[in-house]
Amino acid sequence: MSHFNDFSNPQVAKLPNHLKQFIVNQNYEKYTPIDQAVWRYVMRQNYSYLKNVAYYPYIKGLQRAGLSIEHIPDLQTMNDNLGKIGWGAVTVDGFIPPAAFMEYQAYRVLVIAADIRQINHIEYTPAPDIIHESAGHAPIIADADYNNYLSYFGSIGAKAMFSAKDFELYEAIRKLSILKEASNADEMEIAKAEKNLRYISENMGEPSEMALLGRLHWWTVEYGLIGTLEEPKIYGAGLLSSIGESASCMQNDVEKLWYSIDAINHQYDITKPQPQLFVTPTFQNLIDVLEQFADTMAFRRGGSESVLKAIACKNVATAVYSSGLQVSGVFTDMGINTTDELTFIKTNGPSALAFENNQLNNHGKNYHSDGFSSPVGRLKDAVKSLEDYTDPEIAALVTGDKTNLTFQSGIHVQGKITNLLRKNGKLLLITFEDCTVTESNNNILFRPEWGTYDMAVGSKIISVFNGAADKDAYEEISPVSTEKTHQLQYDEKTKNLHNLYKRVREIRENNESLDELNDIFDKLKKQHRHDWLCTLEILELIDQKPRYARLEKELMVYLEIKAAREADHHKLILDGLHVIKHPVSQLLSN
């Protein structure tokens, strides 16, 4: 079974091509018996603890999302279940760019990293993994108020302007997380990657819209608390999937603050526990704060300030004229008058024109391959905007066979009109032949010998947002990182250990005789002294069974000595013993 991503889920089927490029097959068979044991350990720990501090009924949420405590989730099962509540899921390779991640949320699709953390990172991993994404995000998806916030956040985030620095930061975070999860990681390489990430983080300059939105996402979707400051409950996926931090975050030394727009002033470090957390009284408050921030964004404000953000991002962005015409490309220049109003905008390289996010016929990036430039504003002495002119009003501007347009900015356009493009009663585009465009100082912007001149129509730029308007027509394939997650190779000794884990699982699931467990423990002691989790699983099976009292005592002594000697495993073993003594199995049906 390869467990391909399932396009029969309606939400997944709706995904545009530029998002589908990130999808990888889950390849369920790659999960080893140790991987399955890691999933089960974390989930049992989570439930044991989270039943008291999670905002929603954890097990009920898991079941509604098609997840179980016993097995790593299968994407097909998740999609069948999530489809019932209007969501879907796909598997990807680790971190994907923030803009793409946001857009998936807008399409109501959960992005799930296909890999699972190694046993030596069982409490927390900086890399996204299937525990974080599915056990963290999926169980709360059934809450309508929360999933509305998540998809709305995605639709806002997909429009956020990002800086060239943001993409550098994303690559640095991705590289470090991959190195930290690699089994044969070189300490020097990790140190170098950490230093590089630190340098980029400390030299980001003014945070972009995407960076600020990233903070709101972090303090809500990933690390959010809900309720009161004194007794908050966890709903953030980063906490729900971290068996270490979900407990430590409730201590008094982690400051609890009311969630408000002020959260954008708090940076975060993905490699460390959080010094403070934000508590929201309701999920509606999350939407209110998001609205407050969205009102400051370029896609709602437009104007010269927003075009400046597009120029700074050095990536494809879209400016929307008041007529509804959308210009997509890499913005390089603009003109403003003495009152900071735009007089023209300019892109370089492949550009495209669209209306309502659909590319206009014959105005794709191949046609506008060298860029696009056009005035912005009203005609001089005009009583109404040019986009509202009727055909007779345009005809009145003709002198001889030439039309003369003089804008308030002083830009003058003279040429023969060959086409007027209208949509929804608005004039979007005037096409000229034999055209000259000059500024008030006689600087020439366009000459007749350069060919056809397409002039955008609109008195203002009312919106600017990240990416192309019609992404699929623009073939805007976001840069997929060349840094791929390292695939693990296993030696014979590790494969033997996998087989021991597999036998313990088979004995548990098939209710087989427990007599073989003594031999398995013997092999663990002699050949796999570093392992602790398989011994815990054996102890769980023979706990309080008089026939195996001697083996139970031996296992307890072995684990207690291990916990005392191995600092890294001390808490993990003690937590494992706690769950054995307070089993979750009888609670699962509640």
Side-chain angles (χ1 to χ4, degrees), residues 22 24 91-96 113-115 174 483-485 487:
F22 294 104
V24 299
T91 40
V92 299
D93 180 28
F95 279 113
I96 63 170
D115 289 320
R174 180 179 165 87
E483 189 73 37
K484 299 295 180 192
T485 300
Q487 297 308 310

Side-chain angles (χ1 to χ4, degrees), residues 500-517:
L500 298 181
Y501 271 89
K502 188 179 175 198
R503 274 305 293 145
V504 172
R505 179 176 282 271
E506 287 167 351
I507 291 166
R508 181 177 66 246
E509 291 181 348
N510 303 331
N511 288 319
E512 294 180 32
S513 163
L514 304 181
D515 292 350
E516 192 187 333
L517 294 174

Side-chain angles (χ1 to χ4, degrees), residues 7 192 404 571:
F7 291 100
K192 190 174 159 190
N404 286 282
K571 184 176 183 297

Side-chain angles (χ1 to χ4, degrees), residues 52-53 55 225-234 250 256 258 279-280:
N52 301 317
V53 294
Y55 167 66
L225 302 174
I226 186 167
T228 64
L229 292 182
E230 296 72 35
E231 282 190 57
K233 300 284 189 189
I234 296 172
M250 288 302 184
K256 313 297 187 296
W258 283 117
V279 184
T280 186

